[in-house]
Every structure is written in structure tokens, then in C-alpha cells.
Amino acid sequence: MRDVVVRMQRAARTPMHLLGAQGAKAAYEAGSGVLEILKPALPRVQELQIPVRDGALLPARLYAPVDRAEAPASGLPVLLYLHGGGFTVGSVATHDALCRQLAHLGGCMVVSLGYRLAPEYKFPTAHNDAWDALQWLAAHAAGLGGDASRLAVGGDSAGGTLSAACAIHARDAGLPLALQLLIYPGTTAHQDTDSHRRFAHGPVLDEAVISWFFAQYVNTPADRDDWRFAPLLAPDVEGVAPAWIGLAECDPLVDEGVEYADKLRMAGVPVDLEIYRGVTHEFVKMGRAIPEARQAHADMARALREAFAL
């Protein structure tokens, strides 16, 4: 991890928050695959469009470890995956290798959603897109060769925030989920934990970029106090889906991830918490260089297989 950080520093790239929104999006797209594992070849990769409440059609990509003809009659279990990127950058393409790996190792169908991003689309658009897509998948999984009775939601960073909030909505709507897979999720309203202070200057993710991301996304400071932005503020998480939470030790978000795990456990929710030592935010996308990334992939796949009874 230290070697990766040193190489990043030597590259001396312009920080995202100084590039402007479009420049940051392009830079993240260009650099997202540099340290990724080689993409597993899958028998089935299909482009989808998922309708949401305002009539928009969102791009999505379906990954399956078997051909449609070889899938079980009951259908494959389904994970809705929500990518990270501070609600501002990232896409289906930037998380293609990770989603392929989860489908390959997890033995499940993965549907990666291209939810709409800031600053063009402010809070709560990303949240609404994610929740609408989850409901759509629950209703249409069978037509895709999926099993709606074995449905999970997951994501990294901002995608973890969206996943945690979707799990709360799913409980309220009576939509059963097998698992919420949260990879270093953002859960707090304000960046005021010890780890935010400890890692305010990085590595990889720092306070300036986090504040810039959220400035793109929120309409007013009051949005931060909405539990859809900060799931730690949810008044009640009793009865939400079991959680697998994977955190990076050297990450501004690590403390709030632990706090959310504690909140779930105190409400009686089963939680499997893994803290990967010596690694930073974004490490799960560094599998070519960081063995902990490959370990996290295996741990996530195990959690999915157990939740789906595979």
C-alpha cells in the first residue's frame, strides 16, 4: 500500500477538487482501472435500462456467472451494485472489473446501476435512483433470469451510503433483502470523527476532496441531516437486512463505518465487520497491487454465498 501511495504522489496528478466536475469525472474514468485485477470473462454480460420515478431510463449492466440457459430454473440470486465516487464521479464502467469479480466468485447475478450524478443531479436524486432500481429489480428479476426471493444491495463509499439507505427503505416497504454489502460506506452527517481528523490529508482520499464531493451533491447544509445522506441518523434500523461491512484502516471513513456496524448490532441486526489493516479508501479496486483487495473480494463473495444459501 505504501508503494502505491508513493507512486501516486510521484505522478503528481491534479487533485479532483481542482479539476471541476467534468474534469474530475474524466480523470476518475481514466485512472479507475490502473490497479484493477484482470477482468474475469463471464458467459453473460448484458446492457440494461432501468426506469425510475421521473421517467428517466438509467443505464445498468448485468453480469452472470452462467449463460441464461444454464441458470437454475428458480433463477440466480441478484445483487444490485451501486458504485462509489462521492455522488459526483464513477460509473458502471469504473466498477466493471469489481462487479465481474463479485459475479464470478459469488455465483450470483450482479446488476450495476448508473445512477445520476452531481452536480447536475443533486440530493436525493442518487438515492431515489438506487431505491427505484432496487424495487424494479425485485419486480422484474424473473424476466432477467434472477430470483427475486434472493435479493441483495451493495456498494462502495457513496454506493455504500446508498445501499445502507436502501436497506432501510426495503424494511419499511416489506421488501426482504438477503444482505446489505457495505464497502467503506459514508454514514455520518459531518466529517467530524477521529479518523476524518487523522486522515484529513490522505492518503488517497482527503478532507478537501470529500468536502468538494458533498458540496456538489447537497442543496443546502440541511440535506446533511437527512438519514438518506447520513444513515447513522436513521431513527430506527431494527429489522433491516443483515450486513457485511468492509472497512479500510487508513481511511477517513473508517470510524463512521464502525459506528454504523455498532448501530446495527445494537438494533439486533447480524453484522459481519472486517477491517483490512494498512490499506486506504478505494483499496478494493487495487487488486493487481494489494493482496488485501483480493482477500476482500473473497470475503464479499463468501458473504453473498452464505446470504443466498449457495
Side-chain angles (χ1 to χ4, degrees):
M1 187 77 247
R2 184 181 294 111
D3 182 58
V4 168
V5 170
V6 168
R7 281 186 282 161
M8 292 173 71
Q9 290 170 341
R10 285 176 180 163
R13 293 188 178 90
T14 304
M16 275 195 199
H17 65 285
L18 300 179
L19 292 172
Q22 297 310 312
K25 293 179 200 293
Y28 188 74
E29 293 280 338
S32 65
V34 171
L35 296 176
E36 286 274 26
I37 59 167
L38 293 176
K39 295 180 180 182
L42 294 173
R44 184 182 175 201
V45 177
Q46 178 181 345
E47 303 299 324
L48 303 175
Q49 288 189 315
I50 296 179
V52 292
R53 66 188 66 185
D54 62 3
L57 293 173
L58 304 185
R61 186 173 295 163
L62 182 157
Y63 305 88
V66 295
D67 285 322
R68 183 81 178 259
E70 297 173 354
S74 59
L76 290 169
V78 183
L79 168 68
L80 173 65
Y81 194 86
L82 304 166
H83 67 78
F87 309 104
T88 306
V89 304
S91 66
V92 169
T94 61
H95 286 63
D96 182 72
L98 178 59
C99 289
R100 285 172 179 267
Q101 183 77 328
L102 291 176
H104 170 64
L105 296 178
C108 62
M109 180 184 296
V110 176
V111 176
S112 178
L113 179 70
Y115 59 87
R116 289 172 288 182
L117 298 174
E120 294 83 2
Y121 297 95
K122 299 280 193 178
F123 175 85
T125 303
H127 169 82
N128 291 343
D129 286 352
W131 172 231
D132 290 354
L134 186 62
Q135 294 177 93
W136 185 88
L137 269 182
H140 295 87
L144 299 170
D147 179 2
S149 70
R150 293 183 292 169
L151 181 62
V153 65
D156 60 294
S157 196
T161 307
L162 297 172
S163 299
C166 279
I168 297 170
H169 268 317
R171 177 211 53 195
D172 294 344
L175 174 60
L177 296 179
L179 187 71
Q180 50 179 319
L181 189 82
L182 311 180
I183 308 166
Y184 32 75
T187 65
T188 191
H190 303 281
Q191 289 68 60
D192 54 5
T193 65
D194 285 344
S195 60
H196 274 286
R197 288 184 283 271
R198 192 159 61 252
F199 300 111
H201 300 291
V204 179
L205 181 69
D206 61 23
E207 188 279 331
V209 171
I210 295 171
S211 293
W212 180 77
F213 278 151
F214 293 163
Q216 307 307 299
Y217 183 50
V218 300
N219 301 283
T220 69
D223 286 344
R224 288 173 167 266
D225 296 318
D226 189 309
W227 64 263
R228 295 171 296 173
F229 176 86
L232 264 172
L233 298 181
D236 171 28
V237 293
E238 184 176 356
V240 301
W244 182 91
I245 302 177
L247 307 176
E249 182 185 22
C250 305
D251 182 357
L253 276 58
V254 64
D255 285 357
E256 63 199 80
V258 172
E259 288 182 31
Y260 197 63
D262 289 344
K263 181 182 181 78
L264 293 173
R265 284 172 171 157
M266 289 177 67
V269 177
V271 175
D272 182 356
L273 173 64
E274 299 286 346
I275 302 178
Y276 297 90
R277 301 298 177 183
V279 295
T280 69
H281 199 79
E282 195 81 351
F283 84 96
V284 298
K285 295 176 82 283
M286 302 178 184
R288 194 178 301 174
I290 308 294
E292 287 81 4
R294 300 189 294 276
Q295 182 62 53
H297 298 166
D299 292 342
M300 288 186 272
R302 172 189 49 78
L304 288 165
R305 286 182 172 275
E306 290 177 358
F308 292 144
L310 294 176

